[in-house]
Each structure stands twice: as structure tokens, then as C-alpha cells.
Amino acid sequence: MAGKIIVITGANGGLGRALAQRFAGDGETVVLLGRSLDKVRAVADAIGGSALAVECDVTSADSVRAAFAEIARTHPKIDALINNAAIFKPFLVEEASDEQILGAVLTNLAGPIFCSRSAIPMLSRGGHIINLSSESIDEPFAHLTLYQATKAGLETFGVHLHAELGEKGIRVTTVRAGQMMGDGTTMPEMDPVAMERFFEASMKRGLNLMARGISQYHSTTAIFRTLLDLPPDVHVGVVRFQSRVLD
């Protein structure tokens, strides 16, 4: 049986890279999307086989259209889209620049919408769109208003898109993720003062970020594997996972 063709955004590092490695290791064909072609190409080259790297800035509708047109030249039909690309950068709304606001909205919400729109005509019946959300929408994180709002919007988008695509036999699932890390993980780039404010404000809300568990990226890929292996008569709308503090 031929493997699945899985498109992953934000695949140059972090969870996106771990997913690409996992699925390729399982015998699937992975298509890696990222803003930097050099970075996603390096990941694809390391994976080897039929891994395909495609340049794609999810904040640009034109870039997304071009990326999926390029994918279609090699893979006219795909089995899954994982909307993983996102920006996580704490800041206060009253202090936010136009670039920070637009960056969050375009990357975290409009980007998955652009990618889903382009992927839908290419998805086979039984195909799957998986959107990455965040535990932060239900937790008292500070200085993440735009991140939380865009992730909450993405969850709502997923619910109604699933209903819209019902007749096409395409499922849409939200994965509400806990804190993750892996090899080469770094904190979002921000000045030390902003970082300190973020931790202190979260602590005042009763959230000790230093005491929270952290899952490894490669551990969480099992969740996505399970979702893509669901039988056709089963749908999971939302998966929530949290990280554990290990003894």
C-alpha cells in the first residue's frame, strides 16, 4: 500500500521537523513548507528519500498559492495538511507594533486558512487537516493576548471547516498542545526585559512557568500518527495534551 502524502507547514525546525522525520520514518511522503527554502531543504535533505522542500510564507496568500501549485506538480493529490507554523512572542497589546499584531494574526490564523483553502481541492476523500492550537487559550498566561486570540480563532475555524467539508469526506482536527521542546530549542527572540516581564506577570496570575512540565517533540508525534491512522468512521475534533513533570 502506498504511503500517505503529508504537507507540514513550519517544517524547518521544532515540532514540524519532528513530524516530518517521524512520518518519513514510517514510510510516508512528506512535503516540508517553510519561509526559508534553505532551512527546509536542509531538513528534507537530511530525511532523504522522497521528502520535498517548498518555500512558503504562510502570511502571504500569493506565496501559499504558489507553494501548493508547486506541490501539485509532483503530488496532485495529498492525504493530510498539518498547519504547524506559528509565531509565539509575548508582548502587551498597548505596546505592540503594527508588525507584531499583523505578524501574529497573519501567521497564526490567516496562514492556516490560506493553506487550508489551497489544500482542500488537493485532498483525497478521507483526507485530514490538523491545526495546531495551544493550551495557553485556557491557561492564565500573561502577555500572550494576540497569541491566545489567534489560536482560539483557529480552533473555531477548525470546527466550522469540518462541518463545511463533511460532504467531501475531509476531517479537520485541532490539537491543543502543551509545552514542548527538543534538540536545538530556543526561547522566542525577545529582549531580556520582555522575557522577565513575561515570567513575572505569569507568576502573578498563578502560573509558574519554570515548574511546568515540558514534552519532547518526538514524543508528541505519536498523537499525530494516531490521528492520521483513524478508521474512516471515526472523527476526533479536538485533542488536548499536557506535558508532564517527570520525577
Side-chain angles (χ1 to χ4, degrees), residues 3-234:
K4 298 179 185 292
I5 299 171
I6 304 168
V7 179
I8 305 168
T9 69
N12 60 286
L15 177 62
R17 177 174 58 192
L19 288 169
Q21 292 168 335
R22 166 65 187 264
F23 290 132
D26 291 344
E28 318 288 18
T29 296
V30 291
V31 181
L32 291 69
L33 271 56
R35 185 176 298 182
S36 168
L37 181 57
D38 288 343
K39 290 182 180 179
V40 288
R41 184 174 284 159
V43 176
D45 288 346
I47 290 173
S50 57
L52 175 66
V54 178
E55 182 177 4
C56 181
D57 178 356
V58 300
T59 70
S60 164
D62 287 339
S63 179
V64 171
R65 272 189 286 265
F68 278 84
E70 182 176 343
I71 295 168
R73 286 192 282 272
T74 305
H75 305 295
K77 286 293 182 181
I78 62 175
D79 297 286
L81 164 68
I82 301 178
N83 282 311
N84 166 70
I87 288 178
F88 175 94
K89 183 170 286 190
F91 55 82
L92 292 173
V93 172
E94 66 181 294
E95 299 173 358
S97 66
D98 294 347
E99 290 75 16
Q100 285 177 310
I101 293 171
L102 290 172
V105 174
L106 289 173
T107 305
N108 301 349
L109 182 55
I113 295 172
F114 291 151
C115 290
S116 297
R117 179 179 63 179
S118 289
I120 289 167
M122 299 171 61
L123 282 163
S124 306
R125 188 169 188 85
H128 210 145
I129 296 173
I130 300 177
N131 295 322
L132 263 292
S133 184
S134 164
E135 66 178 358
S136 68
I137 68 173
D138 263 354
E139 297 283 351
F141 284 87
H143 297 196
L144 289 180
T145 299
L146 263 293
Y147 183 75
Q148 292 160 315
T150 52
K151 289 300 188 180
L154 183 60
E155 291 199 10
T156 300
F157 169 69
V159 169
H160 297 291
L161 183 62
H162 176 74
E164 181 178 315
L165 298 178
E167 292 184 357
K168 294 181 180 291
I170 298 171
R171 291 176 282 197
V172 182
T173 296
T174 293
V175 174
R176 188 184 292 181
Q179 188 168 315
M180 296 174 281
M181 68 175 296
D183 293 340
T185 300
T186 59
M187 288 297 292
E189 291 184 8
M190 67 178 90
D191 66 67
V193 173
M195 177 75 77
E196 184 176 354
R197 292 171 66 194
F198 169 53
F199 277 85
E200 288 182 353
S202 294
M203 181 70 80
K204 287 180 180 179
R205 295 185 181 187
L207 199 63
N208 183 351
L209 300 180
M210 300 302 294
R212 294 175 67 83
I214 301 176
S215 297
Q216 295 294 310
Y217 290 126
H218 65 80
S219 299
T220 68
T221 62
I223 297 168
F224 298 83
R225 178 75 271 174
T226 298
L227 289 172
L228 293 185
D229 289 342
L230 288 173
D233 59 337
V234 175

